[in-house]
Amino acid sequence: MAQNSQQPLIILADGSSRTIGSQATRNNIMAAKLLSNVLKTTLGPRGMDKMLINSIGDVKITNDGYTILKETEPDHPAAQMIVDLAKKQENEYGDGTTTAVVLVGELLKQAEKLFEDGLDTPLIAKGYEAACDKAIDVLDEIAMPATREALIKVARTSMSGKGSFSNLDTMAEQLVDALLDVAEDNKVDSDMIKIRKIHGEGAESTEITQSVTVDKSVVESEMPKDVKNAKIALLQYPLDARELQNDAKIKITTPGEYQDYLDAEADMLKEEVQKIVDSGANVLFNNKKISDLGQHYLNQAGIMTAKRVKAGDLERLAKATGAKIVNNVRELTSDDIGEAEHVYEREVYEDREYIFIEGCKNPGVLNIIVRGSTKYITDSLEQAINDAIGAVSRAMAEDKVLPGGGAADIAVSKALRKFANQFDDKEQLAIVAYAQALEELPVALAENAGMDTIDVIVDLLSAHETSPNMGVNVIKREVADMKEEGILESQATKVAIIDAATSVSVEILRIDDVIAAKAMTPVGGDMPGTPNPWM
C-alpha cells in the first residue's frame, strides 16, 4: 500500500528571504533609528558636520540632512522610505529635512516602547494620526504674521544652521528684499532663481540681484562687451554650415567648384546674420554652435554674442527680457526681441568671465552668485541660501511664521498631553508618546550645544506656562523668548515636517512582512537577510 507524503510547496526563488511579524517591525524601526541618530548630531546652529567619502575618494563635508542621506545611499527598504521623505521635503520646501528624519526616528522609538507595553499597530497608528491633526491645529493657533522683519528672521534662522558666516544678517536682509521684489501674489517661481558658485573670495562678496547671468564669455575678443539699451535675440539654431542630410554627397571635380561651394555657405551665413541685424538685435544668446565664419560676420555687425548657452539660462532670459526663443533664425523678427538696460561681460575670478544682464524688462528673475574662500565654505553657503529661499518662500505664501528653537515643538507637546486626557482607551498612550517624540527635538538642539538636556526640558515646560514662544537659544545657551531673540521658522515648513514624519512612521509601523528577492544589506544588529521558512 502506497504511503501518502506531503511535499513542501516552494514559492520563493533561491536566495530570497522573508521576515515576518514583530521581527520585521523591529528591523524597520532599527533602520529608521539608525538614520535618525546619524542626523541628530547635525541639528541646529551648533550641530556637527559629516565627512562623506565616496567610492572614488571624493570628499564632501556637510551637515545638510538630505545631502547626507543622498550621498550615503542606504540599501535598507525602510531607510529608503526615509530618504524619499527627505527628498520630497527638500524639493517642495527646501528646508527641514534633518528635523523630519529625526522626528521619524523619535516617533518610531516611542512606538517601540508602546509595543512592549502591549499596544498593537492599529491603535498606535490611530493615536499618531489624531496627534498629528491636533499638532497642525496648534501650530496654526500660535503662528504669527509673516512681515518683512519676520521673514528676515526666518532667513537668518534657516541659514545659521549651515555654518558661521560673518555677513549673515546682511545676506538675510538682501535675500528677503529680493524675494519680495520678484514674488507675484506672494509666490516665488523657484525656476527663475539661479545660484552660481565661485570660490576664491570671501562670503561677503556674495551677490544677490535681480538680473540674469550667463556663465559664458563673448565669443570674440573684438566684439562689443558692454552694451547699453540692449536688444536681445535668443536662438536655438546653429549658425554653421549644415551637414548634408540622408548621406547625400556632393561631387566636386575642380577647385573652382569647391570655391563655389564655400562661397554658397558663406552667403547663407551672411543671410542668417543679416536676419539678426534686421530684427534690431545688438546682443545674441544662442543655445547652439556658431562657426568661426559666423562669429566673424556677427563681429562685423557689432553684435555681442554668446554661444552654447544653457537652455535654462535661455528660459530665464526669455522671462526677464521679454524675448522669444526662436528655433529658426530665418523666422526671427523684431517682435521676438527682448530688452535690458545693460548687458556686459565681467571677470568673476581669474580669467573666468560671465555675462551679466541687468535692468531687465520684466521682474521675477533672481540671480545669486555665492562666493567663498574655499569649496567647502561655498558649498555650505549655497545650501544655506537654498534652505532660506525655501523657508522664506513658504512663509510668504502662507503669511505665517512660528517661534523657532524648539518652541513650537514644546507648545504642541504641551497641548497634546492635555488633548490625550480626552481619550479613555490606550490611544491616549500613543498621543502622549507622540508628545514625547516632539520634545526630543529641542533636547537634540540643546545637546548639540553642550547644554544640560534635563534642565533644558524642565525649564522649557515651565516657561511655556506663560508663553508659547519660549525655546532654546543655542548660541547663548539659554531658554529665551524666540520672538524677541529673532529666531523664527516657516509655519508651512513645520506643518509639512510633522505631517510627512507621521505618515512615514505609520507606514513603517504597518509593515509586518518583508519579502526580499535577494539578501538585504544589514543595517546594524539583527537585520533582514536570514531566510525564514514559509509556514
Side-chain angles (χ1 to χ4, degrees):
M1 183 175 178
Q3 291 183 343
N4 292 328
S5 61
Q6 185 175 2
Q7 298 294 325
L9 178 63
I10 300 175
I11 298 177
L12 294 181
D14 288 343
S16 300
S17 64
R18 185 185 185 205
T19 309
I20 61 175
S22 61
Q23 185 61 44
T25 304
R26 284 196 299 270
N27 289 342
N28 288 333
I29 289 176
M30 183 181 292
K33 289 195 305 183
L34 284 171
L35 283 186
S36 174
N37 290 337
V38 167
L39 296 191
K40 187 183 288 187
T41 58
T42 71
L43 196 63
R46 295 291 189 184
M48 305 298 287
D49 293 339
K50 305 295 181 183
M51 179 181 287
L52 310 176
I53 306 171
N54 64 17
S55 58
I56 62 174
D58 289 341
V59 177
K60 179 175 289 187
I61 300 173
T62 182
N63 66 0
D64 178 67
Y66 177 59
T67 302
I68 294 169
L69 295 179
K70 181 177 64 174
E71 294 291 330
T72 52
E73 298 179 348
D75 288 333
H76 194 279
Q80 273 297 324
M81 293 170 66
I82 295 175
V83 174
D84 291 342
L85 158 68
K87 181 178 180 180
K88 181 180 179 182
Q89 184 71 26
E90 179 74 15
N91 291 342
E92 295 188 13
Y93 294 87
D95 195 16
T97 54
T98 301
T99 305
V101 173
V102 171
L103 183 55
V104 170
E106 295 301 330
L107 287 171
L108 292 176
K109 187 185 296 184
Q110 294 296 328
E112 197 170 30
K113 296 177 182 178
L114 294 174
F115 283 137
E116 295 173 358
D117 292 338
L119 272 72
D120 56 25
T121 297
L123 192 59
I124 296 172
K126 184 179 178 182
Y128 275 13
E129 288 166 350
C132 177
D133 293 339
K134 179 63 176 178
I136 292 172
D137 290 340
V138 174
L139 291 176
D140 194 56
E141 291 170 7
I142 66 172
M144 298 170 277
T147 62
R148 174 182 175 273
E149 290 71 21
L151 291 174
I152 292 172
K153 292 171 183 176
V154 168
R156 192 187 189 287
T157 301
S158 179
M159 287 192 287
S160 64
K162 303 302 175 186
S164 299
F165 308 110
S166 59
N167 59 332
L168 196 59
D169 292 329
T170 302
M171 280 194 296
E173 186 172 353
Q174 289 178 346
L175 182 61
V176 168
D177 285 341
L179 290 172
L180 288 170
D181 285 343
V182 302
E184 296 180 6
D185 298 326
N186 285 333
K187 294 182 179 180
V188 177
D189 185 353
S190 59
D191 291 336
M192 292 299 107
I193 301 174
K194 181 64 179 178
I195 301 178
R196 301 189 189 277
K197 296 185 295 183
I198 304 173
H199 61 271
E201 291 189 12
E204 65 277 0
S205 299
T206 295
E207 302 175 32
I208 303 173
T209 57
Q210 285 190 59
S211 62
V212 182
T213 57
V214 174
D215 60 344
K216 300 289 182 180
S217 56
V218 175
V219 294
E220 284 206 2
S221 59
E222 296 180 359
M223 277 183 177
K225 296 186 178 182
D226 192 313
V227 177
K228 302 287 181 62
N229 299 318
K231 306 299 180 183
I232 299 171
L234 306 178
L235 288 183
Q236 289 191 132
Y237 182 86
L239 293 172
D240 193 8
R242 240 62 71 224
E243 296 179 2
L244 297 175
Q245 301 296 317
N246 301 322
D247 296 323
K249 295 181 181 180
I250 296 177
K251 186 175 182 179
I252 297 175
T253 57
T254 66
E257 289 177 345
Y258 180 62
Q259 187 59 48
D260 290 342
Y261 175 71
L262 293 179
D263 290 344
E265 282 190 336
D267 290 342
M268 180 180 63
L269 281 173
K270 281 182 181 178
E271 291 175 7
E272 291 178 341
V273 171
Q274 189 59 46
K275 288 293 294 183
I276 299 171
V277 173
D278 292 344
S279 72
N282 53 17
V283 177
L284 169 65
F285 293 100
N286 195 351
N287 177 245
K288 305 295 184 181
K289 61 184 178 180
I290 303 175
S291 67
D292 291 344
L293 187 57
Q295 292 173 192
H296 171 70
Y297 291 143
L298 288 165
N299 185 30
Q300 283 188 330
I303 298 175
M304 181 180 182
T305 304
K307 63 181 178 180
R308 299 191 185 278
V309 175
K310 295 181 180 67
D313 290 337
L314 276 193
E315 291 172 3
R316 277 182 285 276
L317 283 166
K319 179 173 177 68
T321 67
K324 297 177 183 177
I325 300 174
V326 177
N327 296 319
N328 188 335
V329 69
R330 296 178 182 275
E331 298 174 359
L332 182 68
T333 69
S334 58
D335 293 336
D336 301 316
I337 303 303
E339 299 176 3
E341 294 176 4
H342 194 193
V343 178
Y344 60 95
E345 181 188 85
R346 192 185 96 197
E347 183 179 77
V348 291
Y349 183 68
E350 291 183 358
D351 299 325
R352 186 177 181 184
E353 292 83 20
Y354 282 180
I355 297 175
F356 289 74
I357 302 91
E358 297 178 347
C360 297
K361 179 180 179 181
N362 300 323
V365 179
L366 195 60
N367 176 64
I368 303 173
I369 298 181
V370 177
R371 311 298 291 253
S373 55
T374 67
K375 184 179 184 299
Y376 164 65
I377 292 175
T378 308
D379 289 345
S380 297
L381 183 53
E382 179 200 27
Q383 187 61 55
I385 290 175
N386 262 322
D387 287 357
I389 289 172
V392 171
S393 298
R394 286 293 179 169
M396 286 169 55
E398 300 295 331
D399 192 28
K400 293 177 182 178
V401 300
L402 292 170
D409 304 307
I410 295 298
V412 171
S413 173
K414 189 169 176 290
L416 286 178
R417 290 182 182 277
K418 291 182 179 179
F419 177 64
N421 293 328
Q422 301 176 19
F423 296 82
D424 296 328
D425 58 10
K426 289 185 177 181
E427 187 177 342
Q428 178 186 92
L429 299 178
I431 295 172
V432 171
Y434 196 104
Q436 291 173 336
L438 283 172
E439 289 170 6
E440 290 300 314
L441 296 177
V443 166
L445 289 173
E447 187 173 11
N448 291 343
M451 301 170 68
D452 187 306
T453 55
I454 296 177
D455 288 345
V456 166
I457 196 66
V458 170
D459 291 346
L460 278 174
L461 291 172
S462 175
H464 270 254
E465 294 297 329
T466 57
S467 172
N469 296 330
M470 303 303 289
V472 183
N473 185 328
V474 298
I475 305 301
K476 297 180 179 180
R477 299 188 181 187
E478 65 181 16
V479 172
D481 189 308
M482 297 292 97
K483 183 178 179 181
E484 293 179 2
E485 297 287 326
I487 301 173
L488 303 178
E489 58 184 328
S490 164
Q491 189 248 19
T493 303
K494 194 70 173 182
V495 167
I497 289 170
I498 287 179
D499 187 44
T502 305
S503 298
V504 171
S505 299
V506 169
E507 189 174 356
I508 290 175
L509 290 175
R510 291 186 187 277
I511 297 171
D512 71 343
D513 202 337
V514 178
I515 304 171
K518 62 178 181 178
M520 290 182 291
T521 303
V523 184
D526 182 18
M527 299 303 292
T530 304
N532 289 274
W534 287 84
M535 301 302 292

